[in-house]
Amino acid sequence: MSHSMRFFATVLLLAMLIMATEMGPMKIIEAKTCERLSGTFKGICFSSKNCASVCENEDEEFTGGHCSGLRRRCYCTADC
């Protein structure tokens, strides 16, 4: 009887430990991405690589850019 009680206590302790590590503060949260129409990109946006380089060279804190929309405009992106 004592042996089964010790086994049950060990299993219960391990279950509580696993549940505590999953509910802890170590959750990964993705940053929201904000985007804004580029004020310096000229012409129709065919290459997201060119758009990103223009956005990164602006005075503001943009980390990239992409072409989007029916009118193919350059949108600068940054983490909010």
Side-chain angles (χ1 to χ4, degrees):
M1 183 88 173
S2 173
H3 181 65
S4 64
M5 190 67 116
R6 196 176 305 157
F7 177 73
F8 177 73
T10 303
V11 170
L12 185 63
L13 180 66
L14 287 174
M16 288 175 27
L17 184 64
I18 289 171
M19 288 182 355
T21 57
E22 288 182 6
M23 295 187 308
M26 298 182 69
K27 293 181 181 178
I28 298 173
I29 300 173
E30 292 184 24
K32 183 178 177 184
T33 302
C34 294
E35 61 181 42
R36 185 184 67 124
L37 183 63
S38 173
T40 58
F41 190 88
K42 304 293 183 212
I44 298 173
C45 186
F46 289 112
S47 170
S48 290
K49 189 175 182 180
N50 289 343
C51 174
S53 67
V54 168
C55 291
E56 291 167 3
N57 288 334
E58 287 188 41
D59 294 334
E60 298 167 46
E61 300 282 327
F62 292 107
T63 57
H66 62 90
C67 301
S68 183
L70 186 61
R71 296 172 59 190
R72 301 305 298 167
R73 301 177 90 184
C74 175
Y75 288 89
C76 299
T77 58
D79 292 335
C80 297

